[in-house]
Amino acid sequence: MSDIKQQLPQINYFKEEDILHLLISEEPESASIEISPNVTAELNAAGELIGVEILNASNYIRDFILESVQGKLLNLVRSEV
């Protein structure tokens, strides 16, 4: 294994569980808050964000991208009218 430490933030995807994890800091997690269904913010002892976990990540990301693209397309269509 390499001695080179990975830079943060770091994104890990766990295919078997369909979980996407964004690691912002390697500090210990003291608390977590569900910010929306399937999305959890991980906090350190000072209440600062140190990570984000997304369950059912493939569906969440797909839906998020589709909503964003559809919204932009609607705005383009409306501005052309």
Side-chain angles (χ1 to χ4, degrees), residues 4-18:
I4 299 173
K5 189 174 183 178
Q6 289 189 343
Q7 293 181 353
L8 296 176
Q10 179 181 339
I11 296 176
N12 296 302
Y13 178 65
F14 303 95
K15 185 176 182 177
E16 297 270 327
E17 299 86 2
D18 195 21

Side-chain angles (χ1 to χ4, degrees), residues 14 27-28 79:
F14 303 95
E27 297 173 72
S79 65

Side-chain angles (χ1 to χ4, degrees), residues 12-60:
N12 296 302
Y13 178 65
F14 303 95
K15 185 176 182 177
E16 297 270 327
E17 299 86 2
D18 195 21
I19 296 173
L20 186 70
H21 186 255
L22 170 63
L23 180 65
I24 298 168
S25 170
E26 292 182 348
E27 297 173 72
E29 179 182 334
S30 292
S32 62
I33 300 171
E34 185 175 18
I35 55 177
S36 69
N38 297 323
V39 180
T40 302
E42 300 166 342
L43 309 172
N44 65 11
E48 299 167 328
L49 183 66
I50 59 166
V52 176
E53 181 179 75
I54 301 174
L55 305 177
N56 300 316
S58 56
N59 290 332
Y60 182 86

